Amino acid sequence: MDLGGEPPVFSARTESDGDHVRVVVSGEVDMATADTMLQTALREPAGRITLDLLAVTFFDSAAIHAVVRLAQRCPGTLTVLPSRQVRRVLEIAGLAEQGWVSPA
């Protein structure tokens, strides 16, 4: 039953297409949710992973750490699609030019 409340603060779901897994994340990625995002991305074996962060509204240092760990575990197979907020955080952290970050 929908009570018309606020949408969830965080969600992460996968979409599989052959050896490509797309992880769609929305809401706030912080120290409480970053590991869930990482584990969701690693749940299924994949030849390519797209981490879709276009609907992410908050991204902290724990989230950065999770994405860097994912990039280390999946070298050459990860693409991150950042929201405007995520891109700004990655720029501040000096990571926006990494090969796994999709250009604007």
Side-chain angles (χ1 to χ4, degrees):
M1 173 167 67
D2 181 15
L3 300 176
E6 293 287 319
V9 174
F10 169 83
S11 71
R13 63 182 170 77
T14 59
E15 300 170 354
S16 297
D17 183 16
D19 73 340
H20 180 219
V21 171
R22 182 182 193 96
V23 181
V24 181
V25 182
S26 63
E28 299 179 354
V29 185
D30 57 20
M31 64 186 280
T33 59
D35 192 57
T36 300
M37 177 185 69
L38 176 63
Q39 295 308 316
T40 301
L42 295 174
R43 186 176 303 143
E44 299 178 36
R48 292 184 305 129
I49 298 175
T50 299
L51 188 60
D52 182 339
L53 304 177
L54 295 172
V56 170
T57 56
F58 180 81
F59 201 73
D60 73 1
S61 61
I64 293 170
H65 181 72
V67 171
V68 169
R69 284 179 54 204
L70 184 60
Q72 290 171 338
R73 291 192 60 178
C74 306
T77 64
L78 175 66
T79 301
V80 175
L81 306 175
S83 67
R84 184 178 56 83
Q85 293 89 340
V86 172
R87 182 171 300 284
R88 182 68 183 131
V89 170
L90 293 174
E91 287 170 355
I92 292 167
L95 296 171
E97 300 302 319
Q98 292 295 311
W100 40 264
V101 178
S102 180

